[in-house]
């Protein structure tokens, strides 16, 4: 075809190929996309045009355009907004390709760092790995981000697992599901970090009604999904996971709270330092003293050991380390286990920092446990999830 022949990096070829992208025939448009890829660096200015056309293209044309975009990498900075939008696109392969294309742009795609960081926190570990690699490429300081490091580690483990699976299939002539079960059940793979157990002495602790989270026939994966959904719906952007006897624990971010247990509005909710003073006296105090405030961390432990006796102390600093660490994905071997025989224990750690002093744990706290769960928005999330299932 004329398009197939016009792949040299000259003005006439570019004109022919651009006209081809406007053609009514999807096959011609697909060939034009391949031709632009053949231009190499000369074709990069037209990558944004390809990006804008992919969403409406049919499967064959879309495949050609995606291959062309990969060949034209690194793209021009004007492609960043469209690629960021692709990071949330459910279309097959688009999120992965968008992350790879952004990573290839390096520092020129710096504005994409927040979106890449969010994808790196996701439950799709393969995609999270690609996003974390891209995040470090566009923002090298992200290598110190605990979540990025976790995604990079998990991705490296998956690559090792895939390589081991292929070797075992060839050597043992076993079905792939059997090989995967053998590999994933091996020691040291997909393990969660341990939550301190017995747990540190909390301000309050009690069990959560099991009916809010599921029955005996539910799996721990189902229960984790309900907890994570409720926690995220309450405004928490992170849901770190830890291992506890017989199950797992979810830890919330440390948030600044009011006297009634309700959180401060964003962004003061997550601010461990100074907030706007409400009076001149507060303003003067903030000039010379450590900023006061009340802070809360909630742990929801799904465990076979609900009657454990808590012991030891937890500082605000240690609570923040727990909230910033943890795993991202419930290991398959744990997720498939039944909820039967387990209970959900809520542990509330309520810290108070007085002017000029270090924060201390309030035991018992002045706010009841249920008010903490209600104030944080988590209890309402459980109840909404239960109503939606009933409907």
């Amino acid at each position: 075809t004329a398009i197939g022949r016009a792949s040299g990096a000259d003005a006439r070829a570019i004109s022919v190929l651009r006209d081809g992208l406007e053609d009514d025939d999807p096959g011609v448009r697909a060939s034009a996309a391949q031709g632009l890829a053949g231009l190499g660096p000369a074709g990069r200015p037209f990558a944004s045009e390809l990006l804008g056309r992919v969403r409406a293209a049919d499967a064959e044309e879309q495949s050609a355009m995606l291959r062309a975009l990969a060949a034209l990498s690194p793209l021009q900075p004007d492609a960043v907004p469209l690629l960021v939008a692709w990071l949330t696109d459910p279309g097959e392969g688009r999120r992965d390709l968008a992350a790879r294309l952004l990573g290839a742009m390096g520092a020129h795609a710096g504005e994409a760092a927040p979106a890449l960081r969010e994808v790196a926190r996701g439950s799709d570990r393969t995609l999270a790995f690609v996003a974390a690699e891209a995040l470090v490429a566009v923002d090298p300081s992200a290598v110190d981000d605990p979540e990025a490091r976790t995604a990079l580690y998990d991705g490296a483990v998956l690559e090792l697992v895939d390589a081991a699976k292929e070797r075992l299939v060839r050597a043992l002539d076993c079905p792939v599901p059997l090989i995967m079960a053998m590999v994933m059940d091996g020691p040291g793979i997909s393990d969660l970090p341990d939550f301190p157990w017995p747990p540190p002495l909390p301000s309050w602790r009690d069990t959560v009604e099991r009916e809010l989270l599921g029955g005996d026939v539910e799996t721990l994966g189902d229960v984790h999904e309900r907890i994570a959904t409720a926690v995220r719906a309450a405004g928490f952007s992170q849901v770190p996971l830890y291992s506890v006897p017989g199950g797992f624990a979810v830890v919330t971010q440390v948030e600044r709270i009011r006297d009634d247990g309700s959180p401060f509005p964003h962004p003061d909710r997550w601010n461990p330092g100074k907030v706007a003073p409400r009076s001149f006296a507060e303003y003067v105090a903030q000039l010379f003293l450590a900023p006061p405030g009340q802070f809360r961390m909630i742990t929801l432990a799904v465990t076979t050991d609900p009657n454990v006796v808590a012991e030891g102390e937890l500082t605000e600093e240690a609570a923040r380390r727990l909230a910033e660490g943890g795993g991202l994905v419930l290991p398959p071997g744990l997720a498939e286990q039944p909820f039967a025989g387990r209970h959900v224990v809520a542990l509330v750690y309520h810290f108070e920092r007085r002017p000029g002093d270090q924060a201390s744990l309030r035991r018992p706290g002045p706010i009841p446990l249920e008010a903490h769960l209600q104030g944080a928005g988590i209890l309402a999330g459980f109840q909404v999830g239960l109503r939606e299932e009933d409907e």
Side-chain angles (χ1 to χ4, degrees), residues 219-308:
T219 66
L220 293 189
D222 297 328
V223 175
H224 169 251
E225 180 63 27
R226 291 190 179 97
I227 293 176
T229 299
V231 171
R232 290 191 183 280
F236 297 91
S237 61
Q238 302 173 38
V239 192
L241 279 163
Y242 287 90
S243 175
V244 297
F248 64 90
V250 165
V251 173
T252 68
Q253 295 162 266
V254 178
E255 57 181 335
R256 183 186 288 268
I257 62 172
R258 303 183 188 278
D259 292 339
D260 62 356
S262 62
F264 271 57
H266 182 80
D268 289 336
R269 182 178 184 180
W270 317 115
N271 182 8
K274 297 179 180 180
V275 297
R278 293 173 296 178
S279 66
F280 181 73
E282 284 191 4
Y283 170 75
V284 173
Q286 287 185 7
L287 294 177
F288 303 102
L289 302 174
Q294 297 184 78
F295 304 89
R296 170 178 62 207
M297 182 187 79
I298 298 174
T299 297
L300 296 167
V302 181
T303 178
T304 54
D305 188 20
N307 297 320
V308 64

Side-chain angles (χ1 to χ4, degrees), residues 11 24 35 53 55 67 76 87 113 119 124 134 136 140 163 187 192 198 201 208 226 232 282 310 318 324 326 386:
D24 292 336
R53 294 175 179 275
R55 204 181 287 268
R67 290 196 302 271
Q76 299 293 321
L87 288 175
V119 176
D124 183 333
V136 172
L192 293 174
L201 289 163
V208 177
R226 291 190 179 97
R232 290 191 183 280
E282 284 191 4
E324 292 169 3
L386 189 63

Side-chain angles (χ1 to χ4, degrees), residues 145-169:
D145 185 321
E147 291 180 330
R149 288 202 303 271
T150 298
L152 291 170
Y153 171 79
D154 285 348
V157 169
L158 283 176
E159 289 186 345
L160 290 173
V161 167
D162 286 340
K165 179 186 70 175
E166 292 177 5
R167 289 196 298 271
L168 285 169
V169 167

Side-chain angles (χ1 to χ4, degrees), residues 10-61:
D10 55 59
R12 182 175 178 278
I14 291 174
S15 176
V16 171
L17 293 171
R18 291 198 68 183
D19 289 344
L21 290 176
E22 303 284 349
D23 199 277
D24 292 336
D25 187 337
V28 174
R29 294 198 297 269
S31 297
Q34 293 173 347
L36 283 172
L39 294 176
R44 287 175 187 158
F46 309 106
S48 293
E49 195 169 339
L50 285 176
L51 282 168
R53 294 175 179 275
V54 169
R55 204 181 287 268
D58 63 23
E60 180 182 355
E61 182 185 358

